[in-house]
């Protein structure tokens, strides 16, 4: 196994680092301060992005730092998963950078779905403007009335009636639903078919956000923050009708598409966790060495140096495990890397949460304010332990694979 970047990968990584240092980092604090001043958190319909975002996006396009997540030489940077992982680590240091580079969730996953599974008309109508950064998209999967850790519980339906798909149901935690540029939803819903197996009962459907019967119910706060102007929302579908041609791939392929969507996305999330953790460690060291108590730098007190060492060990372990998962996906495919993909989804957010907690403690009162990104990073880490499958589901996947290695694949929890 080899984690060495290609010359092309190194070039992109260095350009990203330079762009972030010169264009994003100097303005980011004021950027989010403007968001807090101008976005009414009680009324998501007023949300807007600061004008600086379009300026930065245009600069990123001109620099060739655009759609770097997409392994396509024409539409993206043509980097493999492991090469892009290093870039994701850098962008994870910032809440703004992924959007500036058009590499932010849920658009990356949605664009990859359309790129891999969409037909030519769907690519022309929706993928093209997403790749240009002209619009944003939303992914609707989780539901409020069921335990969504088991996606077969899904109640929202996408039933075929003649030449139309009729959607009914409710989704929540639909990321990006409050974004003023959100134009298209990818909705995963149940398409009952008694002739197919359990994992062929669901479909992914393209639904324009202004389709009749759609109602955005509310934005959902995360730790009392609505995360304007992007947000996570609850949405209902009441006899929403779209053409049958709006199925992605075909009816019944929802689970297969979801697995293809979530694999690379988990690498992106986990490497951004590593990048955020690195930034928090730097902030903790600087704070701990610049403040004194009882005649010494704070870092010299109460075992804080050991906490710094523990953070370094944990971050490096998370990075190496994530790069190993990315390497396996590039070389042997997602299915063969299932253990590693699930493992990093447990490890990286937990490491990020622990590092943030340590950094907050060293910062004292400042750590729980908006004067640093630590609280927002902490909330993201805790959220990611639920998003794309909770820790427990990923551990279950790993344990099933381990039992299967020992010949216990047909045994059940009931004791058979």
């Amino acid at each position: 196994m080899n984690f060495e970047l290609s010359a092309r990968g190194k070039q992109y990584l260095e350009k990203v680092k330079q762009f972030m240092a010169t264009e994003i980092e100097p303005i980011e604090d004021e950027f989010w301060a403007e968001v807090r001043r101008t976005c009414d958190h009680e009324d998501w319909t007023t949300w807007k992005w600061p004008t600086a975002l379009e300026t930065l996006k245009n600069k990123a396009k001109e620099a060739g730092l655009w759609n770097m997540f997409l392994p396509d030489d024409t539409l993206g940077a043509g980097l493999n998963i492991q090469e892009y992982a290093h870039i994701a680590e850098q962008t994870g240091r910032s809440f703004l950078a992924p959007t500036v580079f058009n590499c932010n969730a849920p658009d990356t996953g949605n664009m990859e779905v359309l790129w891999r599974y969409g037909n030519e008309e769907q690519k022309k109508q929706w993928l093209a403007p997403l790749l240009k950064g002209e619009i944003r998209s939303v992914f609707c999967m989780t539901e409020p009335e069921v335990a969504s850790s088991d996606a077969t519980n899904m109640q929202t339906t996408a039933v075929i009636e003649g030449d139309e798909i009729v959607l009914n149901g409710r989704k929540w935690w639909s990321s990006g639903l409050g974004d003023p540029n959100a134009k298209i939803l990818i909705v995963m819903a149940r398409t009952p078919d008694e002739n197919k197996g359990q994992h062929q009962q669901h479909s992914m459907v393209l639904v324009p956000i202004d389709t009749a019967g759609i109602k955005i119910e509310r934005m959902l706060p995360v730790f009392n923050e609505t995360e304007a102007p992007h947000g996570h929302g609850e949405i209902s579908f009441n006899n929403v009708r779209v053409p049958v041609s709006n199925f992605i791939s075909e009816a019944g392929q929802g689970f297969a598409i979801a697995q293809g969507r979530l694999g690379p996305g988990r690498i992106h999330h986990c490497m951004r966790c590593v990048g955020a953790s690195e930034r928090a460690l730097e902030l903790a060291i600087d704070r701990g060495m610049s403040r004194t108590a009882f005649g010494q730098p704070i870092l010299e007190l109460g075992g804080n140096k050991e906490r710094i060492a523990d953070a370094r060990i944990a971050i490096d372990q998370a990075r190496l495990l994530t790069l190993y998962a990315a390497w396996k996906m590039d070389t042997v495919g997602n299915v063969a890397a299932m253990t590693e993909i699930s493992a990093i989804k447990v490890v990286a957010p937990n490491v990020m949460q622990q590092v943030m907690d340590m950094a907050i403690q060293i910062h004292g009162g400042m750590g729980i304010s908006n004067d640093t990104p630590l609280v927002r990073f902490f909330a993201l880490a805790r959220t990611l332990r639920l998003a794309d499958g909770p820790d427990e589901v990923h551990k279950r996947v790993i344990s099933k694979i381990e039992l299967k290695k020992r010949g216990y694949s047909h045994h059940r929890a009931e004791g058979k």
Side-chain angles (χ1 to χ4, degrees):
M1 114 192 33
N2 182 9
F3 297 158
E4 182 69 18
L5 282 172
S6 66
R8 192 158 178 253
K10 288 179 182 177
Q11 182 182 31
Y12 269 102
L13 182 59
E14 288 307 311
K15 287 177 69 176
V16 166
K17 288 180 179 178
Q18 183 178 6
F19 189 97
M20 289 181 63
T22 59
E23 301 290 348
I24 296 176
E25 291 171 15
I27 64 96
E28 183 159 13
D29 287 347
E30 175 53 32
F31 182 94
W32 294 115
E34 182 179 344
V35 167
R36 288 192 291 272
R37 287 194 304 269
T38 59
C39 291
D40 182 349
H41 291 268
E42 298 300 320
D43 182 5
W44 62 269
T45 63
T46 68
W47 290 0
K48 61 182 179 179
W49 288 97
T51 56
L53 179 59
E54 284 305 312
T55 301
L56 287 169
K57 287 168 67 175
N58 288 331
K59 288 182 178 180
K61 284 182 188 178
E62 291 169 6
L65 302 175
W66 194 252
N67 296 331
M68 291 176 286
F69 71 95
L70 196 64
D72 184 298
D73 289 327
T74 303
L75 301 177
L79 301 173
N80 63 29
I81 296 171
Q82 192 226 321
E83 287 175 322
Y84 178 69
H86 293 271
I87 293 170
E89 177 179 346
Q90 290 304 310
T91 63
R93 298 171 61 91
S94 161
F95 285 100
L96 180 56
T99 302
V100 168
F101 298 129
N102 211 37
C103 292
N104 199 20
D107 293 320
T108 48
N110 291 343
M111 285 188 273
E112 195 149 358
V113 163
L114 288 166
W115 177 66
R116 290 186 183 278
Y117 306 103
N119 60 40
E120 290 307 311
E121 182 57 34
Q122 290 168 350
K123 290 178 181 179
K124 180 180 177 182
Q125 186 174 5
W126 300 116
L127 179 58
L130 283 167
L131 288 169
K132 292 176 183 176
E134 295 172 349
I135 64 171
R136 300 295 301 272
S137 62
V138 182
F139 186 63
C140 301
M141 184 172 183
T142 306
E143 298 185 358
E145 301 299 328
V146 297
S148 294
S149 55
D150 178 1
T152 62
N153 284 335
M154 202 173 290
Q155 294 181 340
T156 299
T157 55
V159 177
I160 301 171
E161 290 186 7
D163 59 357
E164 291 183 317
I165 308 165
V166 183
L167 293 102
N168 282 283
R170 186 176 290 250
K171 299 286 186 179
W172 72 346
W173 297 112
S174 299
S175 297
L177 194 59
D179 195 301
N181 299 317
K183 303 299 180 186
I184 185 67
L185 316 172
I186 294 182
V187 183
M188 187 162 171
R190 190 162 52 88
T191 308
D193 189 335
E194 61 184 19
N195 297 315
K196 293 181 179 179
Q198 183 184 30
H199 290 96
Q200 286 79 45
Q201 300 291 324
H202 301 78
S203 307
M204 288 204 186
V205 185
L206 287 161
V207 184
I209 201 167
D210 58 358
T211 306
I214 286 177
K215 182 182 179 183
I216 297 176
E217 303 285 347
R218 58 173 174 154
M219 291 299 127
L220 298 160
V222 179
F223 286 91
N224 208 36
E225 288 288 336
T226 53
E227 300 196 4
H230 196 57
H232 313 275
E234 184 172 352
I235 184 171
S236 60
F237 302 86
N238 182 22
N239 291 322
V240 174
R241 293 178 177 270
V242 295
V244 169
S245 58
N246 282 31
F247 278 125
I248 300 177
S249 183
E250 59 185 37
Q253 293 300 302
F255 270 96
I257 295 170
Q259 287 306 309
R261 181 187 191 277
L262 291 172
R266 285 170 181 153
I267 297 291
H268 305 170
H269 275 314
C270 291
M271 287 304 283
R272 285 195 290 264
C273 286
V274 171
S277 300
E278 283 284 2
R279 186 176 177 197
L281 179 57
E282 293 168 7
L283 291 171
I285 293 171
D286 291 345
R287 178 73 169 180
M289 292 304 293
S290 65
R291 306 281 279 195
T292 60
F294 309 106
Q296 298 182 72
I298 292 172
L299 218 58
E300 299 287 352
L301 303 173
N304 283 334
K305 280 188 173 178
E306 286 80 2
R307 294 183 180 95
I308 296 297
D310 288 340
R312 166 50 58 214
I313 292 166
I315 292 168
D316 285 352
Q317 287 175 329
R319 177 189 292 107
L320 287 169
L321 185 57
T322 307
L323 290 175
Y324 176 53
W327 174 81
K328 283 196 74 171
M329 291 168 69
D330 282 331
T331 54
V332 295
N334 290 13
V335 174
M338 193 62 69
T339 291
E340 291 75 21
I341 293 171
S342 285
I344 63 172
K345 184 54 181 59
V346 175
V347 168
N350 273 279
V351 166
M352 181 178 172
Q353 182 180 325
Q354 292 159 15
V355 172
M356 293 306 152
D357 185 72
M358 177 274 293
I360 288 169
Q361 195 71 10
I362 287 179
H363 276 75
M366 185 182 185
I368 54 173
S369 74
N370 282 328
D371 288 355
T372 77
L374 296 174
V375 170
R376 194 173 177 194
F377 275 138
F378 183 92
L380 175 60
R382 191 61 189 83
T383 301
L384 285 174
R385 292 185 55 207
L386 296 169
D388 288 357
D391 292 356
E392 293 76 12
V393 167
H394 289 289
K395 289 179 180 179
R396 184 170 183 263
V397 169
I398 295 168
S399 66
K400 286 175 69 175
I401 294 171
E402 292 303 307
L403 264 63
K404 188 175 182 180
K405 290 177 183 176
R406 300 294 300 158
Y408 295 108
S409 58
H410 299 296
H411 286 238
R412 295 290 183 266
E414 292 82 2
K416 295 181 181 179

